[in-house]
């Protein structure tokens, strides 16, 4: 029973880490989307500056 308890504790610890990583990945995806939109909005301005 002691081994089972230890395995359960490890499983719960790993599950918590996975959930945290999922939250962090979601946040990173949102940041990438925001930066991508900002870059796309700036791209024409930058090209115009280079042409001038």
């Amino acid at each position: 029973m002691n081994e089972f308890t230890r395995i359960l504790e490890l499983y719960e610890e790993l599950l918590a880490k996975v959930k945290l990583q999922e939250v962090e990945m979601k946040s990173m995806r949102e940041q990438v989307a925001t930066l991508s939109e900002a870059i796309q909005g700036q791209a024409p301005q930058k090209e115009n500056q280079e042409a001038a």
Side-chain angles (χ1 to χ4, degrees):
M1 192 66 179
N2 191 20
E3 288 182 28
F4 176 77
T5 303
R6 180 66 182 139
I7 291 171
L8 183 59
E9 289 173 357
L10 288 171
Y11 171 78
E12 290 174 344
E13 184 180 327
L14 287 171
L15 187 60
K17 288 181 181 179
V18 167
K19 287 182 179 182
L20 178 61
Q21 287 179 342
E22 288 175 346
V23 169
E24 290 173 347
M25 286 172 50
K26 182 181 178 185
S27 174
M28 288 181 193
R29 285 189 186 111
E30 291 172 354
Q31 290 176 1
V32 167
T34 301
L35 291 171
S36 177
E37 290 173 2
I39 289 169
Q40 289 175 0
Q42 292 175 359
Q45 297 171 0
K46 187 175 183 181
E47 289 173 2
N48 289 340
Q49 289 174 354
E50 290 174 359

